[in-house]
Structures are given as C-alpha cells and as structure tokens.
Amino acid sequence: MSKAGPKNNYCVPPLHVHDHVTQCAAHFLNWFRSSSPEHIRSVLRCGLKGSGGLVDEVDYWFQNCLEDASEPSPELGYWDAAEDGPWTYDTLSVAEVAKVVWDHSRGWKPVDFAWYGYTTSHKAETEDPFGASRTHS
C-alpha cells in the first residue's frame, strides 16, 4: 500500500471538472480571480442575469478568448493556446457556464475570488492576491 500524499487545503473550494461546461467555468474562474475586488463586487451586485452581471462577464470573457485564440493570436491575455490548449468552448452556452460559476461561488466575498486555486500554505506565502489586479468595462 502506498503512502498518501499531503492533503491540499484550498482557500476556497475548487471547481471539480466533470464535463466541458465545468472545465470552461474553471478556466473562467482562473481568469476572473485576477479582476479587482471592486469589479468583482460590481459584477456580483448585478446578479447572475442582470445587466453587468455574471452572464455579461462570462460573455465578455468568451468574446475576448475567441479573439485571443484566433490565428495569429493577438495575445490579449484572455486565452493562451500554448498554456491552455485550443479554445474549444465556442459552442457552449454562456448562460450555462455563468450558472455553474454562480452556483459554485455562492456566498463568496469578492476577495475570495482572488484566492481561487490557492492552497492555504500558498496563501501564507502570498502578500496580496490583488497586487496585479486588472479592471475592464
């Protein structure tokens, strides 16, 4: 019997990928986490389907990923084919991806998004998750 490795204690629960929609939602969360806390707060206040809400945010990300993944890549910082693989999500429903993110992150504060993907041990070594945050409209 092999010895089990150390358990990863995540700052916020990771999104478990079990299909193409959840895989896309995980990529979105990984991108969205570096938005400013003010921007995240604004999106969350607008709700899932409200103007400026999460569906609009996922749509914004989709459109920029499509452009970024095109050849030759404009390298906008939304989708890196070398790191993320080919963009294969263009047939997915933006609303469905947003709903997965909404349901998974229910109850999170804006700062919690910055810690998505981080373990508690990594958090202890990191000063400010928003140190390089970005904003967009």
Side-chain angles (χ1 to χ4, degrees), residues 29 31-46 52 54 57 108-115 130 133-136:
L29 275 169
W31 170 81
F32 190 55
R33 73 181 180 155
S34 62
S35 296
S36 72
E38 295 79 19
H39 180 72
I40 293 170
R41 186 175 297 108
S42 173
V43 169
L44 296 177
R45 281 186 185 148
C46 294
L54 197 57
E57 188 73 3
W108 290 9
K109 297 175 181 137
V111 70
D112 293 337
F113 284 87
W115 294 113
F130 291 114
S133 63
R134 63 175 184 279
T135 59
H136 62 270

Side-chain angles (χ1 to χ4, degrees), residues 44-62:
L44 296 177
R45 281 186 185 148
C46 294
L48 176 62
K49 297 179 183 178
S51 179
L54 197 57
V55 170
D56 286 350
E57 188 73 3
V58 172
D59 185 55
Y60 170 86
W61 177 74
F62 257 58

Side-chain angles (χ1 to χ4, degrees), residues 24 26-35 39 56-70 73-87 89 134-137:
C24 184
H27 277 294
F28 171 80
L29 275 169
N30 194 49
W31 170 81
F32 190 55
R33 73 181 180 155
S34 62
S35 296
H39 180 72
D56 286 350
E57 188 73 3
V58 172
D59 185 55
Y60 170 86
W61 177 74
F62 257 58
Q63 296 310 313
N64 283 287
C65 286
L66 281 168
E67 186 176 341
D68 211 9
S70 67
S73 178
E75 299 181 20
L76 301 171
Y78 293 89
W79 192 260
D80 181 350
E83 184 176 321
D84 303 321
W87 176 258
Y89 306 109
R134 63 175 184 279
T135 59
H136 62 270
S137 24

